[in-house]
Amino acid sequence: MDKEYLDDEELGTVVDQKSAEAVGWFNSKLSKEREDIMRYYNGELPKRTSNGSSSFVSTDVYDGVESMKAQLLETFAAGNKIVRFDPQGAEDVADCKIATVFTDYVIFRENDAYKLFSDVIDDGLKARVGIVKVHWDDCHTYSDHEFTNIDEGEAHGIASEANVHTMDAEEISEGSGRYSGKLTRKTDKSQVRMEVVNPEEFSVEPQAKHLGPDTFCCQRSIKTIAELIKMGYDDEKLYAWSANDDNTLSTNPEVLARFNMIDVGTRGHDRSGEPDAMRYVLITEAYITTMLEGDDHPKLYKVVRLGHETLECEEIEELPFLTFVPLPIPHSFYGNSFAGRIIPTQNARTSLTRSILDHTAITTNPRLQVLKGGVTNPKELLDNRLGGIVNVTRPDAVTPLPQANLNPYVFQTLELIKAHNEETTGISSLSQGLNKDAISKQNSGAMMEKLVSLSQTRQKIVARNFANGFLIPLYIKVYNLVLTKEKRRKIIDVAGEWHELNVSKWKERRSASTVLRLGYGEIEREAEERIKLAHVIAQDPRVEPFVPSAWPVQAGAGCVRTEGHHELP
């Protein structure tokens, strides 16, 4: 007989099994790929073939990742208003503007959007996918205050204030009616939190096509017992866990490769001198769609596991994760590896450049062939300083060992490899301003602008993937979290006018649009073209009555003004 639902013990068993099978954990091929990419990015690979040969390493992986990341950050994190909510009617236009401004405030002011975008883009380019966890954080701060010599009415008034958590008052002297004491104020600091998930912490079920409510995924992270108690988990279960899991993730090869350049080592595992609450434990935060007792249909659950103990099992509406895949593969959660496709270029350019350097070194300081008995003191040959003297018995006693000429096609091959790398990444020397032959008498300014724009086509596609696949869902998720969780009233500035927000009256929004502006100077160029067009139309007497005196020219529209629309199901 088939089971209709799972009990708590069976749910824990299923979660543990699916977590062990999930793709992305440190023993997977994907994890090894990320480790290798990080070592190529840091310039540790490829290793030199022998001692004494050149140790030069080409930095193609680093240059490719950083060039693409710089373009995307310039587009999305430079303060441009690139996302707006779509009004559902004429009466909804003003509310959409307010919702857009406030969501911008939450993302860029309450959270560090620049670092968030930088980290998720970096993970997407190096680890196939960048993952951000967006959730509502119910947090409060506590501050202690003292009061002296107040009457009983004032004391009752202070105690009745909403933000007073505890209050301890004592009468100064019996019958005086005056009080002194201490109080603790509780301030609500709850807000939307956005955190970039480390690639080695996240894993997803095999052959996942996308990250949806029916897709099993989990996040493994290291936290102290004190942190988990503050999050509301059962302290008895936490203190009963005897293992110290500090080295589970800190010794992961991916993590070691990330910090190997500065050799910071790993965190100490000896916690004997610290309180037990500071002990590290490994928790698994899993998201699974299943049916528990009392469910009439499958539901999405968040299950937090510590070893074989379940700390939390909570029904939720949607996954807290958003993803950025720069080079998506149809029907696959993980896309192509942007950095991985540059590794062959780095290997080839490193090998050829090393051969040139080694040949140059040998030509400058060749190996010698010595006629037996032709050198009075052979040790003099080991003194390689300029002007060193070698006493010989005959003129032909010491001659350079014959050295083959450098292959004449090596420099041509280097140029071919460079061109191949530009085709692979979509990042050309022209678009970076590094092509010295671009500026000439034959190439006009307009031609240069068109060439630069064409050379950025691949970057524009990656930018659209970021905007439509990550940024718009981020705005919608942040807005809906504020709509359902925010209880405080706020005042914001919209186009020079102050508006008091009453979130409880907002309506749910599931669609937004974006305008991409990519490339330096393109915004200004299109603004000039629109101004010229406005003047031409205004001078036509047949059209002049229909044109306002102050023609509204939108200077913020760029050359790549591709409007993307996204609507959640």
Side-chain angles (χ1 to χ4, degrees):
M1 178 179 176
D2 296 335
K3 293 185 66 64
E4 294 183 1
Y5 57 83
L6 299 176
D7 57 31
D8 293 341
E9 183 177 352
E10 291 169 334
L11 175 62
T13 303
V14 171
V15 168
D16 292 344
Q17 180 181 359
K18 285 183 173 291
S19 299
E21 296 173 350
V23 177
W25 196 222
F26 69 88
N27 59 351
S28 68
K29 182 178 179 180
L30 178 62
S31 177
K32 183 65 172 64
E33 176 190 273
R34 294 194 296 242
E35 176 193 352
D36 290 342
I37 286 175
M38 182 57 66
R39 297 182 66 188
Y40 274 97
Y41 177 86
N42 289 335
E44 300 175 27
L45 295 177
K47 294 183 177 180
R48 63 181 181 178
T49 55
S50 60
N51 293 332
S53 62
S54 173
S55 59
F56 170 84
V57 176
S58 181
T59 58
D60 297 271
V61 172
Y62 174 87
D63 295 336
V65 170
E66 292 302 318
S67 297
M68 181 66 76
K69 184 167 68 173
Q71 275 285 17
L72 296 180
L73 282 177
E74 176 68 20
T75 301
F76 296 103
N80 297 326
K81 306 297 183 182
I82 54 179
V83 177
R84 60 174 181 265
F85 289 105
D86 299 327
Q88 301 174 10
E91 71 285 352
D92 194 34
V93 173
D95 290 341
C96 274
K97 291 182 179 178
I98 295 175
T100 301
V101 171
F102 183 68
T103 307
D104 273 332
Y105 175 83
V106 173
I107 294 175
F108 284 90
R109 299 285 297 275
E110 292 188 349
N111 292 271
D112 188 354
Y114 180 85
K115 187 177 187 311
L116 178 88
F117 293 170
S118 176
D119 291 350
V120 74
I121 291 171
D122 191 86
D123 285 345
L125 296 174
K126 293 191 293 190
R128 294 179 179 258
V129 60
I131 301 165
V132 174
K133 186 177 184 180
V134 185
H135 62 100
W136 182 263
D137 183 17
D138 285 310
C139 63
H140 301 80
T141 59
Y142 298 87
S143 57
D144 297 329
H145 304 271
E146 295 183 356
F147 57 91
T148 57
N149 197 25
I150 63 174
D151 58 32
E152 184 175 358
E154 290 176 312
H156 284 295
I158 294 175
S160 63
E161 293 179 4
N163 65 341
V164 174
H165 183 59
T166 60
M167 181 174 177
D168 184 15
E170 294 183 357
E171 194 173 12
I172 298 176
S173 60
E174 187 176 354
S176 65
R178 312 295 293 183
Y179 295 86
S180 297
K182 297 180 179 180
L183 62 88
T184 301
R185 294 188 181 275
K186 179 181 178 181
T187 305
D188 187 5
K189 294 291 184 179
S190 301
Q191 67 172 77
V192 175
R193 299 285 182 189
M194 303 184 298
E195 305 165 1
V196 179
V197 179
N198 291 2
E200 69 273 6
E201 294 183 0
F202 186 82
S203 53
V204 67
E205 68 179 30
Q207 298 185 0
K209 295 183 179 181
H210 63 279
L211 199 61
D214 296 330
T215 305
F216 176 85
C217 61
C218 64
Q219 179 188 359
R220 296 176 176 92
S221 57
I222 294 291
K223 296 186 180 297
T224 63
I225 292 179
E227 288 177 310
L228 295 175
I229 293 176
K230 186 178 180 181
M231 295 168 65
Y233 295 122
D234 187 356
D235 55 349
E236 292 185 4
K237 291 183 178 180
L238 295 172
Y239 283 117
W241 182 251
S242 58
N244 190 336
D245 299 317
D246 187 18
N247 62 342
T248 305
L249 284 175
S250 62
T251 58
N252 186 313
E254 289 185 58
V255 179
L256 295 179
R258 186 179 303 142
F259 293 102
N260 193 43
M261 286 291 292
I262 54 177
D263 193 20
V264 295
T266 58
R267 292 182 297 192
H269 309 310
D270 184 9
R271 301 289 176 182
S272 57
E274 297 185 10
D276 199 32
M278 302 310 296
R279 181 158 47 87
Y280 286 98
V281 295
L282 175 68
I283 65 167
T284 301
E285 186 177 303
Y287 297 84
I288 182 173
T289 298
T290 187
M291 291 181 63
L292 301 183
E293 185 175 3
D295 293 344
D296 56 357
H297 63 277
K299 297 180 180 179
L300 178 62
Y301 286 93
K302 170 188 174 183
V303 182
V304 180
R305 297 274 288 174
L306 172 62
H308 299 296
E309 287 284 343
T310 298
L311 300 181
E312 177 186 1
C313 180
E314 175 191 7
E315 180 187 347
I316 59 175
E317 295 183 1
E318 60 181 2
L319 293 174
F321 302 111
L322 294 175
T323 60
F324 165 53
V325 183
L327 304 175
I329 299 176
H331 320 299
S332 175
F333 171 72
Y334 288 99
N336 264 311
S337 175
F338 178 86
R341 301 183 72 86
I342 313 176
I343 287 178
T345 301
Q346 182 160 323
N347 285 332
R349 293 184 69 175
T350 299
S351 178
L352 290 175
T353 307
R354 284 176 179 175
S355 67
I356 296 173
L357 295 175
D358 289 341
H359 186 275
T360 303
I362 293 175
T363 304
T364 305
N365 187 20
R367 298 179 64 186
L368 303 175
Q369 57 182 5
V370 182
L371 186 65
K372 185 176 182 180
V375 178
T376 304
N377 183 8
K379 290 185 178 180
E380 292 176 345
L381 293 174
L382 302 179
D383 184 7
N384 200 29
R385 63 185 174 85
L386 293 175
I389 297 176
V390 179
N391 293 293
V392 297
T393 59
R394 48 188 296 176
D396 59 345
V398 180
T399 56
L401 195 66
Q403 171 71 19
N405 293 329
L406 184 67
N407 191 319
Y409 296 103
V410 67
F411 295 101
Q412 182 179 351
T413 305
L414 281 173
E415 290 299 320
L416 290 174
I417 294 174
K418 179 181 177 182
H420 173 74
N421 187 49
E422 293 180 355
E423 293 175 359
T424 301
T425 62
I427 302 171
S428 66
S429 300
L430 184 65
S431 64
Q432 299 181 75
L434 302 178
N435 191 336
K436 62 181 178 59
D437 297 325
I439 302 176
S440 64
K441 295 180 180 179
Q442 290 79 17
N443 295 338
S444 64
M447 180 185 295
M448 283 303 307
E449 292 171 2
K450 292 179 180 179
L451 289 174
V452 171
S453 179
L454 289 172
S455 68
Q456 293 177 330
T457 302
R458 183 75 61 85
Q459 298 176 52
K460 294 169 185 175
I461 295 299
V462 176
R464 290 187 181 95
N465 292 336
F466 183 85
N468 297 326
F470 172 77
L471 195 58
I472 291 178
L474 175 66
Y475 268 71
I476 295 173
K477 181 179 269 303
V478 168
Y479 174 86
N480 289 331
L481 280 173
V482 171
L483 179 65
T484 56
K485 301 293 185 179
E486 184 65 79
K487 306 300 180 186
R488 297 167 295 173
R489 290 194 173 188
K490 295 187 177 182
I491 299 177
I492 64 171
D493 180 12
V494 180
E497 297 182 1
W498 292 98
H499 293 262
E500 182 178 358
L501 303 184
N502 187 359
V503 180
S504 61
K505 296 182 179 180
W506 285 5
K507 62 177 65 175
E508 185 178 5
R509 301 189 184 278
R510 307 190 68 84
S511 65
S513 300
T514 180
V515 178
L516 302 184
R517 305 178 179 94
L518 189 67
Y520 296 101
E522 295 181 354
I523 299 175
E524 292 77 7
R525 285 194 296 273
E526 182 158 328
E528 292 177 0
E529 292 178 2
R530 294 192 176 200
I531 292 174
K532 292 178 182 178
L533 178 62
H535 289 319
V536 171
I537 294 177
Q539 291 174 2
D540 190 334
R542 295 170 297 178
V543 184
E544 186 177 3
F546 305 99
V547 179
S549 57
W551 185 275
V553 179
Q554 227 182 21
C559 180
V560 190
R561 196 177 181 278
T562 57
E563 297 197 3
H565 177 81
H566 183 88
E567 185 169 347
L568 295 181

